């Protein structure tokens, strides 16, 4: 005792007292425990000071290549003396040398790293927290050291209570409503009928999945004082591996490595290079020689591979509870959302396919395409200067038929359906998320007070103010400084959007220049299809520019986000996510917006074309319309983007891991690779992305935008998205299980800022689809012609017979002699009639050349324009009203779930009261036995 007091007096300026001891209202037992913990820390610290000057104290000098060196407490070593060590646990690489202490976390560093002192202090404080530690050098590189950490039961219980980890304590009692006998009989008959039907092939085999106990039990925050209330069959398995790793990570984030207020946490050591990697271990190999049906799963990783990541189960539901148990709630929620989104795409894909097939079946009955195909006597004006020839309207017969496949009478219905579908998808996801949050005990979970980012602390450490929550001083960013940084960041965002517009402008110039080049090409195939060739090559070039700019955007978004100096990690993630989404959304859709709403709208007319820089004539639409260009743009971009993303997500890690395995196979042979311990195998895998699930969410959100924003022009977009997502789920699952190191299991209540972005896309989709139908397609001009100018004018009919003469009415007449000198074609059109052409036709509503106002707008043009504006207003208001009505009628929380939550809360209170009453009664009986009795006792 005297030696400990002396050490306390000598080293009181160097001791770091834990925050949980700094309390004012404590009883005497707590003070004694605190003194014992301080004395323990002092002994460790004092012994370490003695060893700092000794060269033999360095832990790394005790290491041998491939041998284990235990640095755990002496007590833990004495416990295993004389006991038989399980050989299987020693072989699989998931346990310490004793074969009993499971490895909960792995730290990796290099002996050549100069940050030795920080690392030594950090590891000493780790042991002071009660964690056990072993070190081992790598089999492939002696410079690499693996630090294996294990949390004993006492440490797990202490921090589980501090972290409010919910654990099972009582089996659930399912409450069933009273039903009438008649209803019971009907249900029995239905169940018998279902027994005759084949089993649902999409459901997973219940015998294969383990019994996840927490889903059948009521849970409560873990408490050591009430430990007898919890269901504990085995202390080693009471906390699952993901929870153990999360507790160890929580400890590591709060351990100091150097003197100073901010010198704390594993993240800072990873950022400054003291440690090279930190990760929890996978639970063994994902492959097995034995069949899972006959011998069962070797571990949860093997089970996930067989039931989730294998391509043979692509049609089955996901085992979300097992995913959550292995990877944590945050990753589980991502796959739950992805599965829900994929399931909701089924009706959208079916309706979109129906619209396409409707266009196929009605193709031969379409009056407009018939007139285009039969218009051999209508000669169209050239679509470019000089080199483009005159052409018959019937030459665009194929394009008119293809346009009808996407632009038909069902398109408007499908656009309304998709706008409503987006709202239904989001509203029902709220309900699904609520059910998942209830099943996974996330209803009452609140995020802890986040730590301040090290960069924020280093920048604003001089200014401090009191935190209203914790009551402690923390760095403070002045309002003027924050506003100035936000303004600079917003300016950077605006500049990058201007870069995107400049890239689109370059594509426009390419299209204008190339269409003339292709029109003068030697090959007849390209010369006769110059406009399609121009569109196809422009889309491919645009895709290459998109992928190149994405790399630049990521660096710019990273720079601007760091420039803003967000206070916490979640604020940094939200800011970075918003910037990257804006950049990539504008980059991906800018050319699509140009084709949908600007291509062919501001070209002028023959004889008075509008030109870029008074040089290049703006591109016109094809005689059959601009919708075919929009379909090509969406189809090519969507297919190429999804193919590229899938390759980068899975192909790139596969190639990297294959190269690593190849080098190891060359050095150690095929048998050496299999004998590597688990930590060595996991270290050779690829780490998870630095931004977590950002890339996965971003890919799906951009796809959601493609599926909803221009779906009126491309009804097959939901079908392509569905096919991609079926593959995407298994690709992501395979990547998480086999190609990546096991990520830290973290908790989350929802998908975060992505939900707000989805709502914004849903609102934008209503506006864009209204403009696509009104402006890009010919739906409104046809409707105006049918009711006002066609054969059925004034009769209230709009069938195919009412469209007779529509093509001729939609084309204007131009006098060939009125061409500008630089626009006059090289051919005079004598190949059509044997004599030079006097007139040609073009798409517009203008007066003939001999009218009082040559080439002025006709009355039909103003009628069409008014109808377009009216349709946009009516469509938007109608769809928005439907969306708000649906969101109002669908509650966020299902009624049965609300009742279950209320009943569970009531039952938990009753169970707690009963358990407390039993404890008090036992104490009363014990006091009576001991002869102690008190008056006015309760109960």
């Amino acid at each position: 005792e005297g030696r400990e007091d002396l050490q306390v007096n000598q080293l009181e300026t160097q001791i770091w007292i834990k925050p949980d001891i700094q309390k004012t209202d404590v009883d005497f037992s707590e003070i004694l425990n605190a003194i014992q913990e301080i004395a323990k820390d002092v002994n460790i610290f004092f012994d370490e000071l003695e060893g700092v000057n000794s060269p033999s104290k360095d832990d790394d000098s005790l290491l041998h290549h491939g041998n284990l060196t235990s640095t755990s407490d002496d007590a833990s070593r004495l416990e295993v003396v004389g006991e038989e060590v399980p050989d299987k646990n020693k072989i699989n690489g998931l346990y310490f040398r004793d074969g009993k202490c499971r490895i909960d976390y792995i730290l990796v560093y290099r002996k050549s790293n100069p940050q030795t002192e920080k690392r030594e202090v950090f590891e000493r404080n780790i042991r002071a927290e009660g964690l056990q530690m072993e070190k081992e050098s790598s089999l492939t590189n002696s410079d690499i050291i693996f630090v294996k950490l294990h949390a004993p039961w006492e440490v797990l219980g202490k921090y589980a209570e501090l972290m409010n980890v919910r654990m099972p304590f009582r089996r659930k009692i399912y409450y069933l409503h009273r039903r009438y006998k008649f209803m019971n009989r009907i249900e029995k008959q239905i169940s018998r009928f279902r027994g005759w039907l084949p089993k649902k092939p999409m459901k997973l085999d219940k015998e294969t999945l383990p019994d996840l106990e927490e889903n059948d039990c009521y849970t409560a925050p873990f408490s050591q004082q009430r430990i007898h209330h919890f269901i504990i069959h085995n202390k080693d398995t009471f906390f699952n591996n993901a929870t153990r790793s999360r507790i160890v990570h929580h400890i590591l984030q709060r351990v100091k490595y150097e003197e100073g207020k901010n010198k704390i946490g594993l993240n800072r050591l990873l950022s400054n290079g003291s440690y090279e990697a930190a990760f929890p271990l996978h639970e063994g190999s994902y492959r097995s020689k034995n069949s899972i049906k006959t011998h069962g799963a070797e571990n949860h990783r093997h089970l996930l591979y067989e039931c989730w990541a294998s391509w043979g189960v692509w049609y089955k539901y996901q085992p979300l509870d097992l995913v959550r148990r292995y990877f944590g709630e945050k990753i589980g929620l991502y796959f739950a959302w992805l599965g829900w989104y994929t399931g909701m795409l089924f009706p959208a894909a079916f309706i979109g396919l129906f619209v396409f097939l409707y266009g196929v079946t009605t193709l031969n009955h379409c009056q407009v395409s018939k007139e285009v195909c039969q218009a051999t006597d209508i000669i169209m004006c050239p679509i470019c200067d000089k080199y483009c020839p005159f052409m018959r309207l019937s030459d665009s017969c194929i394009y008119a038929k293809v346009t009808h496949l996407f632009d038909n009478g069902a398109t408007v219905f499908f656009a309304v359906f998709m706008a409503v579908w987006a709202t239904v998808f989001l509203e029902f996801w709220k309900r699904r998320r609520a059910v998942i949050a209830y099943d996974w005990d996330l209803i009452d979970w609140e995020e802890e007070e986040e730590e301040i980012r090290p960069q924020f602390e280093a920048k604003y450490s001089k200014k401090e103010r009191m935190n209203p929550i914790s009551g402690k001083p923390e760095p403070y960013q002045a309002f003027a400084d924050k506003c100035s940084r936000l303004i600079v960041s917003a300016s950077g965002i605006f500049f990058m959007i201007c870069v995107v517009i400049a890239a689109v402008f370059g594509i426009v110039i390419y299209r204008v220049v190339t269409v003339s080049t292709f029109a003068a090409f030697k090959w007849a195939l390209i010369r006769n299809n110059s406009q399609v060739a121009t569109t196809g090559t422009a889309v491919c070039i645009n895709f290459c520019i998109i992928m190149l700019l994405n790399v630049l955007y990521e660096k710019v978004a990273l720079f601007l986000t760091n420039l803003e100096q967000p206070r916490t990690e979640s604020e940094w993630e939200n800011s970075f996510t918003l910037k990257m989404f804006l950049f990539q959304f504008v980059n991906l859709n800018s050319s699509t917006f140009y084709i949908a709403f600007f291509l062919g709208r501001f070209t002028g007319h023959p004889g008075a074309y509008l030109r870029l820089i008074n040089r290049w004539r703006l591109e016109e639409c094809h005689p059959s319309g601009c919708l075919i260009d929009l379909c090509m743009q969406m189809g090519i971009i969507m297919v190429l983007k999804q193919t590229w993303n899938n390759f980068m997500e899975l192909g790139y890690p596969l190639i990297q891991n294959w190269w690593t395995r190849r080098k190891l196979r060359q050095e150690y042979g095929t048998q050496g690779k299999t004998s590597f311990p688990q930590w060595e195998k996991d270290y050779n895998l690829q780490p998870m992305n630095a931004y977590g699930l950002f890339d996965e969410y971003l890919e799906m959100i951009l796809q959601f935008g493609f599926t909803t924003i221009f779906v009126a022009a491309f009804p097959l977009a939901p079908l392509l998205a569905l096919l991609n997502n079926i593959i995407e789920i298994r690709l992501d699952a395979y990547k998480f299980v086999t190609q990546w190191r096991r990520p830290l299991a973290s908790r989350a209540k929802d998908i975060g800022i992505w939900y707000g972005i989805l709502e914004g896309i849903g609102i934008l989709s209503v506006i864009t689809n209204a403009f696509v139908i009104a402006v890009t397609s010919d739906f409104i001009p046809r409707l105006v012609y049918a009711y006002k100018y066609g054969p059925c004018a004034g009769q209230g009919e709009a069938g195919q017979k009412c469209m007779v003469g529509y093509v001729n009415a939609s084309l204007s007449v131009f006098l060939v002699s009125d061409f500008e000198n630089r626009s006059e074609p090289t051919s005079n059109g004598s190949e059509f009639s044997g004599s030079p052409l006097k007139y040609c036709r073009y798409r517009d509503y203008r007066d003939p050349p001999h009218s009082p106002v040559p080439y002025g707008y006709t009355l039909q043009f103003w009628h069409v324009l008014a109808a377009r504006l009216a349709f946009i207003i009516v469509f938007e208001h109608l769809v928005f009203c439907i969306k708000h009505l649906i969101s109002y009628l669908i509650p966020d929380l299902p009624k049965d779930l609300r009742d279950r939550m209320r009943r569970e809360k009531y039952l938990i209170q009753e169970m707690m009261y009963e358990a407390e009453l039993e404890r008090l009664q036992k104490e009363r009986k014990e006091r009576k036995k001991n002869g102690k009795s008190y008056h006015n006792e309760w109960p």
Side-chain angles (χ1 to χ4, degrees), residues 477-490:
Q477 183 182 15
F479 179 76
D481 180 76
K482 186 175 183 178
C483 288
S484 61
R485 290 178 178 274
L486 288 175
I487 291 173
V488 173
S489 178

PDB file of all heavy atoms in Angstrom, residues 477-490:
ATOM      1  N   GLN A 477     -16.373  26.871 -34.036  1.00  0.00           N
ATOM      2  CA  GLN A 477     -16.172  27.545 -35.316  1.00  0.00           C
ATOM      3  C   GLN A 477     -17.067  28.776 -35.379  1.00  0.00           C
ATOM      4  O   GLN A 477     -18.289  28.677 -35.207  1.00  0.00           O
ATOM      5  CB  GLN A 477     -16.503  26.597 -36.477  1.00  0.00           C
ATOM      6  CG  GLN A 477     -16.254  27.186 -37.850  1.00  0.00           C
ATOM      7  CD  GLN A 477     -16.637  26.235 -38.965  1.00  0.00           C
ATOM      8  OE1 GLN A 477     -17.345  25.250 -38.736  1.00  0.00           O
ATOM      9  NE2 GLN A 477     -16.173  26.511 -40.170  1.00  0.00           N
ATOM     10  N   ALA A 478     -16.480  29.927 -35.605  1.00  0.00           N
ATOM     11  CA  ALA A 478     -17.229  31.174 -35.645  1.00  0.00           C
ATOM     12  C   ALA A 478     -18.221  31.168 -36.806  1.00  0.00           C
ATOM     13  O   ALA A 478     -17.984  30.526 -37.838  1.00  0.00           O
ATOM     14  CB  ALA A 478     -16.279  32.360 -35.759  1.00  0.00           C
ATOM     15  N   PHE A 479     -19.321  31.882 -36.635  1.00  0.00           N
ATOM     16  CA  PHE A 479     -20.374  31.912 -37.651  1.00  0.00           C
ATOM     17  C   PHE A 479     -19.869  32.524 -38.956  1.00  0.00           C
ATOM     18  O   PHE A 479     -20.178  32.035 -40.043  1.00  0.00           O
ATOM     19  CB  PHE A 479     -21.573  32.695 -37.122  1.00  0.00           C
ATOM     20  CG  PHE A 479     -22.707  32.796 -38.098  1.00  0.00           C
ATOM     21  CD1 PHE A 479     -23.536  31.709 -38.328  1.00  0.00           C
ATOM     22  CD2 PHE A 479     -22.931  33.967 -38.815  1.00  0.00           C
ATOM     23  CE1 PHE A 479     -24.579  31.795 -39.238  1.00  0.00           C
ATOM     24  CE2 PHE A 479     -23.970  34.066 -39.722  1.00  0.00           C
ATOM     25  CZ  PHE A 479     -24.798  32.974 -39.933  1.00  0.00           C
ATOM     26  N   ALA A 480     -19.080  33.611 -38.847  1.00  0.00           N
ATOM     27  CA  ALA A 480     -18.562  34.263 -40.061  1.00  0.00           C
ATOM     28  C   ALA A 480     -17.634  33.328 -40.824  1.00  0.00           C
ATOM     29  O   ALA A 480     -17.684  33.247 -42.064  1.00  0.00           O
ATOM     30  CB  ALA A 480     -17.838  35.555 -39.684  1.00  0.00           C
ATOM     31  N   ASP A 481     -16.799  32.592 -40.103  1.00  0.00           N
ATOM     32  CA  ASP A 481     -15.889  31.649 -40.761  1.00  0.00           C
ATOM     33  C   ASP A 481     -16.670  30.531 -41.439  1.00  0.00           C
ATOM     34  O   ASP A 481     -16.343  30.130 -42.563  1.00  0.00           O
ATOM     35  CB  ASP A 481     -14.935  31.072 -39.712  1.00  0.00           C
ATOM     36  CG  ASP A 481     -13.947  30.087 -40.320  1.00  0.00           C
ATOM     37  OD1 ASP A 481     -12.992  30.545 -40.965  1.00  0.00           O
ATOM     38  OD2 ASP A 481     -14.149  28.863 -40.159  1.00  0.00           O
ATOM     39  N   LYS A 482     -17.706  30.051 -40.784  1.00  0.00           N
ATOM     40  CA  LYS A 482     -18.517  28.979 -41.366  1.00  0.00           C
ATOM     41  C   LYS A 482     -19.234  29.450 -42.626  1.00  0.00           C
ATOM     42  O   LYS A 482     -19.266  28.751 -43.648  1.00  0.00           O
ATOM     43  CB  LYS A 482     -19.531  28.485 -40.330  1.00  0.00           C
ATOM     44  CG  LYS A 482     -20.325  27.273 -40.774  1.00  0.00           C
ATOM     45  CD  LYS A 482     -21.213  26.755 -39.655  1.00  0.00           C
ATOM     46  CE  LYS A 482     -21.939  25.503 -40.064  1.00  0.00           C
ATOM     47  NZ  LYS A 482     -22.781  24.958 -38.967  1.00  0.00           N
ATOM     48  N   CYS A 483     -19.806  30.669 -42.577  1.00  0.00           N
ATOM     49  CA  CYS A 483     -20.512  31.193 -43.754  1.00  0.00           C
ATOM     50  C   CYS A 483     -19.564  31.405 -44.922  1.00  0.00           C
ATOM     51  O   CYS A 483     -19.895  31.094 -46.073  1.00  0.00           O
ATOM     52  CB  CYS A 483     -21.207  32.502 -43.389  1.00  0.00           C
ATOM     53  SG  CYS A 483     -22.648  32.287 -42.336  1.00  0.00           S
ATOM     54  N   SER A 484     -18.379  31.952 -44.645  1.00  0.00           N
ATOM     55  CA  SER A 484     -17.427  32.195 -45.735  1.00  0.00           C
ATOM     56  C   SER A 484     -16.997  30.883 -46.387  1.00  0.00           C
ATOM     57  O   SER A 484     -16.878  30.802 -47.619  1.00  0.00           O
ATOM     58  CB  SER A 484     -16.208  32.943 -45.196  1.00  0.00           C
ATOM     59  OG  SER A 484     -15.546  32.175 -44.200  1.00  0.00           O
ATOM     60  N   ARG A 485     -16.807  29.841 -45.589  1.00  0.00           N
ATOM     61  CA  ARG A 485     -16.420  28.549 -46.149  1.00  0.00           C
ATOM     62  C   ARG A 485     -17.560  27.936 -46.964  1.00  0.00           C
ATOM     63  O   ARG A 485     -17.327  27.314 -48.008  1.00  0.00           O
ATOM     64  CB  ARG A 485     -15.993  27.603 -45.037  1.00  0.00           C
ATOM     65  CG  ARG A 485     -14.670  27.998 -44.382  1.00  0.00           C
ATOM     66  CD  ARG A 485     -14.282  27.055 -43.244  1.00  0.00           C
ATOM     67  NE  ARG A 485     -12.997  27.441 -42.686  1.00  0.00           N
ATOM     68  CZ  ARG A 485     -11.818  27.043 -43.162  1.00  0.00           C
ATOM     69  NH1 ARG A 485     -11.780  26.229 -44.214  1.00  0.00           N
ATOM     70  NH2 ARG A 485     -10.693  27.434 -42.618  1.00  0.00           N
ATOM     71  N   LEU A 486     -18.795  28.091 -46.491  1.00  0.00           N
ATOM     72  CA  LEU A 486     -19.938  27.574 -47.245  1.00  0.00           C
ATOM     73  C   LEU A 486     -20.100  28.303 -48.573  1.00  0.00           C
ATOM     74  O   LEU A 486     -20.451  27.697 -49.592  1.00  0.00           O
ATOM     75  CB  LEU A 486     -21.209  27.695 -46.406  1.00  0.00           C
ATOM     76  CG  LEU A 486     -21.338  26.724 -45.225  1.00  0.00           C
ATOM     77  CD1 LEU A 486     -22.594  27.041 -44.418  1.00  0.00           C
ATOM     78  CD2 LEU A 486     -21.366  25.282 -45.703  1.00  0.00           C
ATOM     79  N   ILE A 487     -19.839  29.612 -48.577  1.00  0.00           N
ATOM     80  CA  ILE A 487     -19.949  30.381 -49.820  1.00  0.00           C
ATOM     81  C   ILE A 487     -18.896  29.924 -50.827  1.00  0.00           C
ATOM     82  O   ILE A 487     -19.182  29.735 -52.016  1.00  0.00           O
ATOM     83  CB  ILE A 487     -19.812  31.891 -49.524  1.00  0.00           C
ATOM     84  CG1 ILE A 487     -21.047  32.386 -48.747  1.00  0.00           C
ATOM     85  CG2 ILE A 487     -19.652  32.687 -50.815  1.00  0.00           C
ATOM     86  CD1 ILE A 487     -20.924  33.805 -48.257  1.00  0.00           C
ATOM     87  N   VAL A 488     -17.668  29.723 -50.351  1.00  0.00           N
ATOM     88  CA  VAL A 488     -16.610  29.232 -51.248  1.00  0.00           C
ATOM     89  C   VAL A 488     -16.958  27.844 -51.770  1.00  0.00           C
ATOM     90  O   VAL A 488     -16.767  27.540 -52.958  1.00  0.00           O
ATOM     91  CB  VAL A 488     -15.256  29.226 -50.514  1.00  0.00           C
ATOM     92  CG1 VAL A 488     -14.187  28.568 -51.371  1.00  0.00           C
ATOM     93  CG2 VAL A 488     -14.839  30.639 -50.149  1.00  0.00           C
ATOM     94  N   SER A 489     -17.501  26.978 -50.897  1.00  0.00           N
ATOM     95  CA  SER A 489     -17.877  25.640 -51.323  1.00  0.00           C
ATOM     96  C   SER A 489     -19.002  25.676 -52.353  1.00  0.00           C
ATOM     97  O   SER A 489     -18.959  24.955 -53.357  1.00  0.00           O
ATOM     98  CB  SER A 489     -18.308  24.804 -50.104  1.00  0.00           C
ATOM     99  OG  SER A 489     -18.712  23.510 -50.494  1.00  0.00           O
ATOM    100  N   ALA A 490     -20.013  26.527 -52.122  1.00  0.00           N
ATOM    101  CA  ALA A 490     -21.111  26.653 -53.081  1.00  0.00           C
ATOM    102  C   ALA A 490     -20.601  27.184 -54.418  1.00  0.00           C
ATOM    103  O   ALA A 490     -21.061  26.748 -55.488  1.00  0.00           O
ATOM    104  CB  ALA A 490     -22.191  27.572 -52.519  1.00  0.00           C
TER     105      ALA A 490
END
